[in-house]
Amino acid sequence: MFSFQSKKIYLFMFLGIQLVVIALFSREAYKKSVTYFIHILRKDNASIPTGRNQTSTAVVANGGDVYANLSRLSKAHSQGENLTYCPKTSPLIVGRINVRIHSNFTMQELQRKNPLVVRGGRYRPPDCEARHRTAIIIPYRDREHHLKVLLYFLHPFLQRQQLNYGFYVIHQAGNYTYNKAKLMNVGFREAMKDEDWDCLFFHDVDLIPEDNRNTYVCDANPKHVSVAIDKFGYELPYNQVFGGVTALSPLHYLKMNGFPNNYWGWGGEDDDIGDRVSLAGMSISRPSLKVGRYKMIKHKLDKGNNANTKRFNLLRKTRQTWKQDGMNTVESRVISREYHPLYTNITVDVGTKAGLPPPPPPPKAATMADQIQHHG
Ligand code: NGS
């Protein structure tokens, strides 16, 4: 059937194909070994930050330990009162961080890992004057495990960025339906009493940042920070999203009259906040998907935080309501302010849909009869 000539052609074609396959394989192997060496070089770079004047960031190729070499900081000598400003880009910043969620450590151990954090969860770099003052505001109820994990990762993350920072946990008292946005209004008010913060990070307790180049400082516009969450395949779920982790300066915050107080239960309040940004004439800024990466700690639905069935109606009215409801109308009663070693805990009664309950009666002055009884 086949002539000798055509057999020869097939033989050459077969040999030709084999040669192409061999060439492709060896190219792949070559590529792999180059990538391997780059990886080793980068790893070395990341583990030894080279000094204060270095401006580029050290990249941990496959995710590094956020505590690596951090003890160097605690050994740094303070130069007294007149510190010079920290460099514009911290030389301690690493790139990708290995976030392995675990909580098999005690709070005391965590304190020992962060020896420069002082009462109330406050920190400032020991050897230079921070360029930025950032408050972390965490709305909270009954998520002890999450808080522990967040503190574990976020403290060293922020120290690497050479920030002056403070942690505020805003704890809703009682069992009434959760109101996250109102808690954030309280957080803003209470944090600003302490210090002239130039940036406030409103931070979900279950989101752990995975890239240290995601700097916790404010932009010229309100910033939506948690743009790439593992739960959403590290993509923005929709264009107007403004929940999770956001960063606003006090000026941004006041310009949009803070956050709404009337969203009780899950959902919608973050979309309302996003709308406020544009209604107040600002726009949303965002870090890149590469840097704004977060891991979400998995959890079951919270008790007392069912989906808010009124959220769609409320959202339709934001344009009419944002100036009448927000920071200018927030009513709450702070029950306690506790200064823990790694955070300040503010427990607050935010009331119910019907408003705040009447204040508790003042402690009764001891009557003469009580005093006589007391002295026996
Ligand atoms: C939207 C919600 C937001 C919520 C976002 C992501 O649909 O409040 O989903 O939710 N808006 C409304 O319901 C109007 S998540 O999947 O992270 O639980 O933040």
Side-chain angles (χ1 to χ4, degrees), residues 57-58 60 66 70 90-97 153-154 156-162 209-216 290-291 293:
T57 54
V60 181
V66 70
L70 203 60
S90 164
L92 304 168
I93 290 179
V94 287
R96 218 32 90 67
I97 283 161
F153 284 102
L154 207 47
F157 183 95
L158 299 171
Q159 286 161 38
R160 287 193 173 281
Q161 297 182 348
Q162 295 186 315
E210 292 189 89
D211 199 302
N212 199 206
R213 290 166 292 189
N214 176 6
T215 42
Y216 272 36
K290 189 173 109 193
V291 161
R293 281 171 75 92

Side-chain angles (χ1 to χ4, degrees), residues 229 231-232 237-238 241 243-244 266-271 296 311-312 315:
I229 305 179
K231 177 180 174 184
F232 301 119
Y238 54 99
V241 62
W266 180 90
E269 82 295 340
D270 46 355
D271 299 318
M296 187 183 273
R311 65 192 189 280
F312 299 105
L315 271 172

Side-chain angles (χ1 to χ4, degrees), residues 129-168:
E129 185 67 40
R131 285 177 184 269
H132 307 278
R133 290 183 303 275
T134 299
I136 312 291
I137 312 284
I138 306 163
Y140 177 89
R141 185 161 73 184
D142 201 16
R143 296 274 198 100
E144 211 177 320
H145 164 69
H146 293 178
L147 181 60
K148 209 172 150 194
V149 177
L150 181 67
L151 293 169
Y152 180 93
F153 284 102
L154 207 47
H155 270 297
F157 183 95
L158 299 171
Q159 286 161 38
R160 287 193 173 281
Q161 297 182 348
Q162 295 186 315
L163 302 173
N164 174 348
Y165 71 78
F167 263 89
Y168 293 88

Side-chain angles (χ1 to χ4, degrees), residues 98-105 145-146 148-150 152-153 205-210 230 294-298:
N98 181 16
V99 175
R100 196 175 58 79
I101 311 283
H102 71 290
S103 57
N104 49 354
F105 53 87
H145 164 69
H146 293 178
K148 209 172 150 194
V149 177
L150 181 67
Y152 180 93
F153 284 102
V205 70
D206 55 0
L207 286 177
I208 313 294
E210 292 189 89
D230 61 346
Y294 283 81
K295 202 163 253 179
M296 187 183 273
I297 312 175
K298 293 189 178 62

Side-chain angles (χ1 to χ4, degrees), residues 246-365:
T246 56
L248 289 92
S249 70
L251 214 66
H252 294 152
Y253 198 82
L254 295 176
K255 219 170 154 186
M256 59 199 264
N257 192 19
F259 298 168
N261 295 302
N262 55 349
Y263 282 76
W264 298 91
W266 180 90
E269 82 295 340
D270 46 355
D271 299 318
D272 187 296
I273 296 166
D275 287 347
R276 282 169 182 249
V277 172
S278 43
L279 288 167
M282 300 180 283
S283 56
I284 296 175
S285 89
R286 289 198 167 100
S288 71
L289 289 178
K290 189 173 109 193
V291 161
R293 281 171 75 92
Y294 283 81
K295 202 163 253 179
M296 187 183 273
I297 312 175
K298 293 189 178 62
H299 57 92
K300 292 190 226 93
L301 275 181
D302 294 295
K303 274 191 226 131
N305 194 21
N306 290 338
N308 175 5
T309 50
K310 303 218 166 67
R311 65 192 189 280
F312 299 105
N313 280 339
L314 288 169
L315 271 172
R316 272 194 284 275
K317 291 190 211 130
T318 310
R319 182 177 286 276
Q320 289 95 58
T321 55
W322 72 280
K323 284 187 185 162
Q324 281 96 55
D325 172 53
M327 200 56 215
N328 58 354
T329 53
V330 59
E331 276 192 327
S332 65
R333 190 169 300 122
V334 170
I335 295 173
S336 67
R337 188 181 247 264
E338 293 152 12
Y339 298 95
H340 292 265
L342 296 174
Y343 62 94
T344 297
N345 187 86
I346 295 171
T347 299
V348 60
D349 185 351
V350 292
T352 67
K353 282 174 203 171
L356 265 192
K364 202 171 52 152

